Amino acid sequence: MSEINKNYLNLAQNYLFPTITKKVGEFKADNPDEEIISLGIGDVTRPLPKACISALHKAVDEMGDASSFRGYGPEQGYDFLINDIIKNDYEASGIKILPEEIFVSDGAKCDVGNVQEIFAKSCRVAISDPVYPVYLDTNIMAGREISKILCKEENNFNPAVPDFKADIIYLCSPNNPTGTVMTREDLKNWVNYARINKSVIIFDSAYKEYVRDSSLPRSIYEIEGSKEVAIEVRSFSKTAGFTGLRCAYMVVPLELKGTACAKDAISFNTLWRRRHTTKFNGVSYIVQRAAQAVFSSEGKQEIKELINYYMQNAKIITEGLQAAGFTVFGGVNAPYIWLKLPAGIKSFDFFDLLLRQARVVGTPGSGFGDGGEGYFRLTAFGSMENTLKAMERIRGLKL
Ligand code: MLT
């Protein structure tokens, strides 16, 4: 028998969301006639923008014509998409990113999970608690030393710069699961820490489109000197409804360097290019054309309406929970609402209670780490009708 990667034995038995799906499935089997509302996994419910649908149709027709058919594309993404990403997501905010620094992929989850492969096993990783479980699980799989930074309510759940040296740091803003957003000052502190400690920050800004307060940063590259210390991950999933279509991108700056055997200045960009071109054959042409359409004027208008729709849900949830007596975080510049449970109620117990009494599915805070115990996450990605219905049911809860 072949020996397994024993690090896998250190993982929780299942990934968080399949665990939730299983629990809901069991409940449904026992209660087949009940209407269950899911505000659990952060999956979008609105259809794709029309601009993306038109681009998809056009691209499909091109693929059916011998003169415009395309086989393998560039692994790191087509120029048409990369150039539009740079122009709209960076140049428009005064940030200079080069085409060779962008890598288009099929999802931010894959990117944040895979990127750790270009770091040594000996790297010490710093992760917030609570946290998006992919950062944690993928580093457990790799067998790295992981240090948790407890994020507390008093600090708006922002991770404080630690008093130890971490080689890799994962930051997520707007945050999944807490829905809170790091300020420019918070990010400056982290960039400063990373420059002093020669660490690399993996900055997950998959929810950047939900930041509507212009004083809050959407990109880590808004902070001076950050290109020397940060990789940024972004996605079309929550911005444009691509959870089922799959497209994201990662920025690996040319300035970002690591070391090997005391040899300085090895480019992470070169390593990631090598990894990406070896293990990935690129996002399909038709999907990249759909992603490009997000940056058209029609696309931009539709995205704005989409985000407004979900943020209206966030408001309904926030106000509904407050009216029901809960203390609530997030939900203002983020699609996640993080509610504090009454003292003594465990988050998985609340999950069961909410499902049994209200037929509403949420995500237990402790699923995001011990630091999430006593809290619970709801998403704004449901339909408005269901969100309103869910809040009405939650108001009737008997705790
Ligand atoms: C979540 O619910 O946390 C998200 O859907 C996770 C993801 O984007 O993978």
Side-chain angles (χ1 to χ4, degrees), residues 222-298:
E222 290 177 36
I223 310 300
E224 211 185 316
S226 58
K227 281 188 83 184
E228 286 163 37
V229 294
I231 289 172
E232 182 157 277
V233 183
R234 287 179 161 189
S235 162
F236 292 90
S237 284
K238 313 299 160 76
T239 304
F242 274 49
T243 52
L245 205 55
R246 313 305 306 150
C247 196
Y249 67 89
M250 187 156 81
V251 183
V252 187
L254 294 178
E255 289 94 325
L256 187 71
K257 302 280 162 62
T259 61
C261 310
K263 264 201 235 148
D264 251 338
I266 296 188
S267 161
F268 277 114
N269 179 287
T270 307
L271 299 185
W272 183 250
R273 184 171 305 280
R274 187 69 176 84
R275 194 260 175 221
H276 196 74
T277 50
T278 305
K279 293 196 176 184
F280 189 58
N281 263 337
V283 174
S284 70
Y285 173 71
I286 61 172
V287 170
Q288 291 195 58
R289 280 294 184 197
Q292 183 192 26
V294 168
F295 300 115
S296 65
S297 51
E298 189 196 355

Side-chain angles (χ1 to χ4, degrees), residues 102-209:
I102 304 260
F103 295 86
V104 175
S105 76
D106 61 353
K109 181 179 181 179
C110 318
D111 282 341
V112 292
N114 292 331
V115 68
Q116 46 79 29
E117 283 185 28
I118 56 172
F119 293 85
K121 189 180 166 209
S122 57
C123 284
R124 183 177 184 184
V125 183
I127 286 177
S128 319
D129 183 5
V131 76
Y132 177 44
V134 177
Y135 315 151
L136 178 71
D137 285 358
T138 52
N139 280 288
I140 292 178
M141 289 171 183
R144 290 202 180 83
E145 179 190 351
I146 299 165
S147 304
K148 305 236 180 120
I149 303 174
L150 189 62
C151 298
K152 301 199 189 106
E153 191 178 315
E154 305 83 85
N155 199 19
N156 201 29
F157 297 100
N158 273 325
V161 165
D163 55 8
F164 56 84
K165 179 185 173 339
D167 302 297
I168 309 170
I169 301 127
Y170 289 80
L171 297 177
C172 177
S173 181
N175 190 264
N176 180 11
T178 66
T180 55
V181 186
M182 296 175 86
T183 63
R184 224 168 235 115
E185 218 39 54
D186 295 327
L187 279 189
K188 267 190 202 161
N189 282 340
W190 273 107
V191 167
N192 194 30
Y193 168 92
R195 287 171 67 90
I196 292 168
N197 289 284
K198 300 198 180 312
S199 339
V200 175
I201 296 171
I202 296 161
F203 188 71
D204 183 348
S205 63
Y207 302 94
K208 56 118 182 156
E209 214 60 47

Side-chain angles (χ1 to χ4, degrees), residues 15 17 40-43 109 132 176 207 238 336 368 377 379:
Y15 183 59
F17 293 106
I41 190 163
D43 193 8
K109 181 179 181 179
Y132 177 44
N176 180 11
Y207 302 94
K238 313 299 160 76
Y336 292 123
F368 300 99
R377 194 194 77 174
T379 98

